[in-house]
Amino acid sequence: MKAITGSSHEARGFALLVLVLLLSGGALAGGLFLSHRDPQLAHNRWLQEEAVLASLTEGFVRAVQTGLVIPDASDCWTAIAQVTGMNQTTMEWVNPAFPADPSNRRILLIDGVIAPGVLPYVQSAAGLSVAQSSLLKPRARAMFLSTTRRDLFLPVRGGETDPAAFDAIWNWAYDAAKPSSPSGWPAAWASQGATLHVSRISLHSLFAQVHLNQLRYGVGSGSFSGGTVAATEFVKDPTIVTLLKGSLLAICQTNGIPHQVRVVRRDAMFDLTTPSDPRQGTHGVGKDGPR
């Protein structure tokens, strides 16, 4: 998925989220789960739910980059609500008028290859530890699931699931000409692919690697105007720190003199080694890595 990179993109995404969630909780609520009997209504409902899940996914990424925490399946709604201002019930339930119906619930599914206990992940100044390194695997993934048929239950529960079962959904794609469900799903889901909605998140893409040498640094959250970070960590030798994109990073010389403060958006390198010969190059290199 593509991470949030600009304020105008965020504004469009969350304006859409507000619109579609208000619609799903209001004027369209009465016919929401009758849509499978009316092709045009079913198509409109499909488009609406796809937009909702896309906006929730964007909200998830924004929550991670703002709070520097990757939530688990039970905490994700609260995290998204904190950055979007949306009502949690409205986000969690396809039709908020039926908050007790389990078939009406959106869920977050997590690939079981992530080591147990890693989520929720709360970033420290040291960044990602060896014990948490499963979050950097290409298979470190999550996805939102929902169904727009109230009488059709998702055959998986939210949270971590078997990697094979996760793969079957991740690799599934909706085909209007042959609306089948993911491989291995129950017979009740035969030809019901049009009612299934999936929005995928690559968790490993939420991180950036920062190369550091001969400096002090600190990590926090916030913005240039409102964030304050103390450079308490000392780095004597070349070190790689893996941080969540969105982290506020302060870099100082080893004597504490400030060098740079920035928001981590991609891989970067900071080497404040003092050259023994002025002809060796510029003191205090700090640059972005590949985009």
Side-chain angles (χ1 to χ4, degrees):
M1 62 166 286
K2 186 176 181 179
I4 299 171
T5 57
S7 59
S8 60
H9 184 88
E10 293 174 3
R12 290 195 301 270
F14 290 105
L16 176 61
L17 175 61
V18 171
L19 175 62
V20 294
L21 291 180
L22 287 177
L23 286 175
S24 66
L28 296 181
L32 188 60
F33 294 105
L34 296 177
S35 60
H36 61 282
R37 301 177 183 176
D38 184 324
Q40 185 57 52
L41 185 58
H43 180 67
N44 293 341
R45 184 67 198 114
W46 185 88
L47 291 174
Q48 181 183 336
E49 184 62 14
E50 288 290 300
V52 170
L53 290 196
S55 294
L56 289 176
T57 298
E58 186 178 3
F60 181 95
V61 173
R62 185 182 174 194
V64 172
Q65 295 179 343
T66 300
L68 305 185
V69 174
I70 301 180
D72 60 16
S74 61
D75 295 335
C76 67
W77 307 110
T78 301
I80 296 172
Q82 288 174 345
V83 297
T84 64
M86 295 304 300
N87 178 274
Q88 183 170 333
T89 299
T90 305
M91 291 189 298
E92 191 171 357
W93 302 92
V94 178
N95 186 343
F98 300 96
D101 184 350
S103 71
N104 175 40
R105 190 172 192 174
R106 299 182 179 105
I107 64 172
L108 180 68
L109 203 64
I110 300 168
D111 195 331
V113 301
I114 297 175
V118 169
L119 296 181
Y121 167 74
V122 181
Q123 180 169 276
S124 68
L128 199 71
S129 69
V130 173
Q132 299 163 327
S133 61
S134 59
L135 284 172
L136 291 183
K137 295 179 178 179
R139 288 190 52 124
R141 305 170 296 178
M143 52 187 168
F144 284 106
L145 268 66
S146 66
T147 174
T148 45
R149 278 196 61 165
R150 191 179 165 202
D151 59 346
L152 192 59
F153 287 80
L154 293 171
V156 289
R157 301 177 63 180
E160 292 190 9
T161 192
D162 174 74
F166 188 97
D167 271 347
I169 306 170
W170 183 273
N171 296 328
W172 171 84
Y174 171 62
D175 183 352
K178 187 180 179 182
S180 59
S181 58
S183 175
W185 276 33
W189 273 92
S191 301
Q192 293 297 324
T195 66
L196 175 64
H197 301 269
V198 182
S199 186
R200 299 162 179 84
I201 307 170
S202 295
L203 297 179
H204 64 89
S205 69
L206 302 178
F207 291 91
Q209 291 192 326
V210 182
H211 298 248
L212 305 170
N213 190 27
Q214 285 291 319
L215 50 77
R216 293 183 182 274
Y217 79 95
V219 180
S221 60
S223 63
F224 291 123
S225 59
T228 56
V229 180
T232 58
E233 306 297 315
F234 178 76
V235 176
K236 180 180 179 181
D237 300 308
T239 301
I240 298 176
V241 178
T242 303
L243 302 174
L244 285 169
K245 295 174 182 177
S247 301
L248 191 62
L249 176 65
I251 300 293
C252 294
Q253 296 178 25
T254 54
N255 59 8
I257 296 176
H259 173 71
Q260 188 177 143
V261 178
R262 69 164 61 188
V263 175
V264 176
R265 297 298 184 194
R266 58 187 67 87
D267 293 352
M269 181 181 70
F270 298 91
D271 188 343
L272 303 192
T273 304
T274 302
S276 57
D277 184 338
R279 291 173 297 179
Q280 290 182 3
T282 303
H283 168 62
V285 175
K287 65 180 181 179
D288 287 335
R291 294 176 180 268

